[in-house]
Amino acid sequence: MIPGSLTETDDRSPVIIGALRTPIGNRHGIFRELDTTALAAPVIGALAAQLPAGLEPSELVLGNVRGPGGNPARVAALAAGLDPRVAALTVDRQCGSGMAALEYAWHRCRSMPGVVLAGGVQAVSTQPLTAWPPTADSPARSYERAPFAPPPWNDPEMGLAADLLAEEHGIGRERQDAYALRSHQRAVTARQAGVFAAETVDIAGHHLDERPRWGFTAARLARFPPQFRTGGTVTAASSCGVSDGAAALVMVDAATHARIGVPGLRVLGCVTAGCDPDRPGWGIVPAVQGVLEHTGVGLDEISVVELNEAFAGQVLACADGLGLDERRICPDGGAIGLGHPWAASGAILLVRLFSALVRSGRGGYGLAAIAIGGGQGSAMLVQACSLTSSVAPAGRSGEELA
């Protein structure tokens, strides 16, 4: 049994019945003046307004990385107009915070009936400045991230760790550039086709993701220099963008879902696993392996795969480690093309699966996974369910799905 395994595929599996997000803005871009409340509250309010008659949320849980302090989830809940009796919790698991919020909701809905709103928010552009206090030997020192691991681990910056991971797994520059180009092209194509429209809440007059590059070509990507070390292969163009954004989903217990009879995503399993803290990008591999093992579902059975694209070299190393065809990852573009608002990204992956499997009517299984600073990874396996579908034994048989 893998530590952190949380899976059981039985008739108690909670169901996601709603999913929305903001557009994703570049750091100091379209949302440069907005804080976590301004980003999260409109999404929460829109989700609450879509709840079926008679349903009221009992709790809101949001992921947020090193944000304004206090309890951003509570402030956002009140700003969204939720009843003050609705409890609120903020969680921080670095880039996995949004998915951690969904894990919390999954436990909550398994332990008692009710409705939980869960997601994540990151307002990097307005994030408070932080500093280590002065000592007798040094002045105050500002920092953008806290340590992810203590000595004797090296605790490298995420970009350097991704570059080293790519080298160790034989992921060359040309393949990384090709992957990054595909992410942008897919994101641009999806945006032009209106694929994201139904899942996106207008924020301050903005309704389109800011990052996708219309003019990228292989020749342009090839001109980018190594970003993190001399002789490296990871560039700014093959890395995700640091971004602002929020996402949230509605999860209900199985009995409530059976009563209200709406389509949704049944959450079959959640796994968070650890890996080498000096190669944090690898965390996707043990997490995905764990969730597939405990649900009995194979990669070849999954309709849509959403892995957070922190760096092309990193996600390609993970794909190879899983035996996963890289072209199956993020069919409408991922974080390289759309951006990576840290604490929101895990929730955005599930919003994307909700649109791909439920809104589209496609049905089937969906897999989401994200790597986490400090050497962790989280993965969730979901299954689209129609108004009348039942849970298949061991998470198998998709014939009954919407």
Side-chain angles (χ1 to χ4, degrees):
M1 198 77 165
I2 291 179
S5 174
L6 310 172
T7 63
E8 287 181 34
T9 52
D10 59 22
D11 59 3
R12 292 191 299 139
S13 296
V15 180
I16 294 168
I17 62 170
L20 293 171
R21 66 175 179 91
T22 68
I24 301 172
N26 296 334
R27 186 178 191 176
H28 304 311
I30 56 175
F31 300 140
R32 59 187 173 274
E33 297 179 353
L34 302 188
D35 61 10
T36 56
T37 303
L39 289 172
V43 177
I44 295 163
L47 276 175
Q50 294 177 2
L51 286 173
L55 289 189
E56 298 290 339
S58 56
E59 190 164 5
L60 167 70
V61 54
L62 286 179
N64 181 242
V65 177
R66 207 177 55 79
N71 187 351
R74 176 61 172 172
V75 179
L78 296 173
L82 298 187
D83 191 308
R85 293 174 295 180
V86 175
L89 171 69
T90 303
V91 298
D92 184 348
R93 192 184 265 164
Q94 302 303 307
C95 295
S97 299
M99 198 171 288
L102 288 163
E103 282 190 22
Y104 176 97
W106 189 79
H107 280 295
R108 174 72 163 70
C109 289
R110 287 175 64 81
S111 64
M112 64 180 70
V115 180
V116 179
L117 307 182
V121 58
Q122 199 69 44
V124 178
S125 295
T126 58
Q127 195 162 279
L129 301 176
T130 49
W132 298 110
T135 68
D137 300 319
S138 65
R141 294 172 291 118
S142 63
Y143 67 93
E144 290 201 354
R145 78 160 176 92
F148 289 156
W153 287 281
N154 295 320
D155 193 20
E157 292 297 326
M158 299 295 283
L160 175 58
D163 205 318
L164 295 170
L165 185 69
E167 179 181 63
E168 292 162 1
H169 289 267
I171 311 298
R173 169 68 185 268
E174 185 176 346
R175 187 178 172 197
Q176 293 178 53
D177 285 355
Y179 185 94
L181 179 60
R182 184 163 61 242
S183 183
H184 279 278
Q185 289 174 334
R186 287 178 170 183
V188 167
T189 299
R191 194 174 80 165
Q192 287 178 316
V195 170
F196 305 132
E199 70 187 36
T200 307
V201 176
D202 187 288
I203 302 291
H206 297 286
H207 62 280
L208 295 176
D209 298 306
E210 186 177 9
R211 178 172 168 81
R213 303 291 182 89
W214 302 77
F216 264 166
T217 64
R220 284 192 64 188
L221 265 68
R223 292 198 294 267
F224 280 78
Q227 181 77 6
F228 301 104
R229 63 177 180 136
T230 302
T233 57
V234 177
T235 71
S238 64
S239 306
C240 65
V242 178
S243 309
D244 299 320
L249 301 95
V250 182
M251 194 179 296
V252 300
D253 65 283
T256 297
H257 179 252
R259 176 170 56 83
I260 61 177
V262 297
L265 283 180
R266 181 170 286 113
V267 183
L268 299 179
C270 315
V271 165
T272 296
C275 67
D276 181 353
D278 287 342
R279 299 294 183 268
W282 187 251
I284 284 175
V285 174
V288 169
Q289 290 172 335
V291 81
L292 296 181
E293 176 187 349
H294 291 294
T295 57
V297 175
L299 275 175
D300 59 341
E301 299 177 79
I302 294 171
S303 300
V304 181
V305 177
E306 293 282 340
L307 305 184
N308 190 58
E309 300 172 346
F311 304 91
Q314 167 257 332
V315 76
L316 286 168
C318 291
D320 288 358
L322 292 166
L324 173 66
D325 182 349
E326 66 187 71
R327 292 183 175 271
R328 295 181 59 193
I329 302 170
C330 299
D332 295 317
I336 291 174
L338 292 168
H340 180 15
W342 303 325
S345 291
I348 289 171
L349 299 177
L350 272 299
V351 173
R352 296 270 54 253
L353 288 179
F354 190 91
S355 289
L357 300 177
V358 179
R359 287 193 175 100
S360 71
R362 174 177 180 173
Y365 294 108
L367 172 69
I370 190 166
I372 304 167
Q376 298 187 88
S378 290
M380 299 189 76
L381 184 74
V382 297
Q383 180 185 38
C385 52
S386 68
L387 305 186
T388 58
S389 67
S390 59
V391 178
R396 293 187 176 273
S397 178
E399 288 78 12
E400 303 159 336
L401 301 181

